[in-house]
Amino acid sequence: GKVGSGAATGVINALVWAYPLDVMRQQMATKNSGTWGKAAKDVYSQGGLRGFYRGFMMDAPGLMIFRGVQLGGWDLMKDYYGEEWGKMNRVSRFAHGQVISLFGSVFSYPWDTVRRNLMSATGSTYSEVYRSGVATAGGFRNFFYAGFSARVLSSVVNGALLEGFDEWKRTKDA
């Protein structure tokens, strides 16, 4: 229930909004497109409308895992603690959000790695990206978890957003 709705929320948000912007950002970073308009034009000229979604099907499972664990786990944690949840201080609730975000990151990061590589490898298939990436990186763990420390830092923001939004809802409803 809650994990499934969190997963659906993450995938729908990415499909409609976040993923095309991420593809353009990747285009700007790797192909020196310069501006958002130039990046959009370049992505479209390389693959049409489908170019904006290169790698999305590989990323969708990772999104479902991450957002399902993050959003669903947050709601399950609140249910688990019941009335005690509202009595916890904000730092404790933030720490719970941080742990939930880290847990989701550990399991979703390999899909994110493949997605980034597919975005920048025009015309490459998943298996080509996987084989060349693992071989170049020096193994499975190096390929899939290279740069994971940056994800750990971003999970601080995720934990803060979970707690901050929850606090805002609590004060708004009071």
Side-chain angles (χ1 to χ4, degrees):
K2 293 181 186 226
V3 173
S5 64
T9 300
V11 170
I12 290 168
N13 174 54
L15 181 65
V16 172
W17 181 249
Y19 201 82
L21 289 175
D22 209 18
V23 169
M24 288 188 295
R25 181 184 59 80
Q26 186 79 8
Q27 178 76 19
M28 289 167 60
T30 59
K31 306 283 196 295
N32 296 321
S33 291
T35 66
W36 287 101
K38 175 93 170 76
K41 183 180 174 188
D42 290 348
V43 169
Y44 189 81
S45 70
Q46 292 169 6
L49 195 55
R50 292 179 69 174
F52 290 95
Y53 294 96
R54 185 182 312 114
F56 182 77
M57 293 310 290
M58 189 60 224
D59 191 41
L63 283 167
M64 290 167 52
I65 291 167
F66 180 71
R67 292 298 179 205
V69 169
Q70 183 192 38
L71 301 175
W74 181 255
D75 284 344
L76 289 170
M77 188 73 66
K78 291 189 323 186
D79 290 348
Y80 175 77
Y81 283 105
E83 291 181 21
E84 293 298 314
W85 184 257
K87 296 175 186 172
M88 283 184 194
N89 64 41
R90 294 180 77 182
V91 172
S92 180
R93 290 191 306 258
F94 163 75
H96 281 80
Q98 178 70 21
V99 168
I100 289 166
S101 292
L102 282 171
F103 188 69
S105 292
V106 166
F107 293 106
S108 66
Y109 197 74
W111 279 277
D112 193 44
T113 300
V114 173
R115 172 191 60 88
R116 284 191 314 274
N117 283 281
L118 281 170
M119 281 180 179
S120 59
T122 306
S124 296
T125 66
Y126 163 75
S127 60
E128 291 167 343
V129 167
Y130 175 79
R131 279 194 306 273
S132 69
V134 170
T136 305
F140 179 85
R141 191 181 71 175
N142 289 342
F143 175 64
F144 283 118
Y145 286 98
F148 184 70
S149 57
R151 177 64 82 87
V152 170
L153 292 175
S154 75
S155 72
V156 172
V157 174
N158 290 325
L161 285 171
L162 287 169
E163 165 48 28
F165 184 71
D166 206 46
E167 182 68 22
W168 174 77
K169 276 184 6 185
R170 213 177 0 267
T171 58
K172 182 181 78 83
D173 294 341

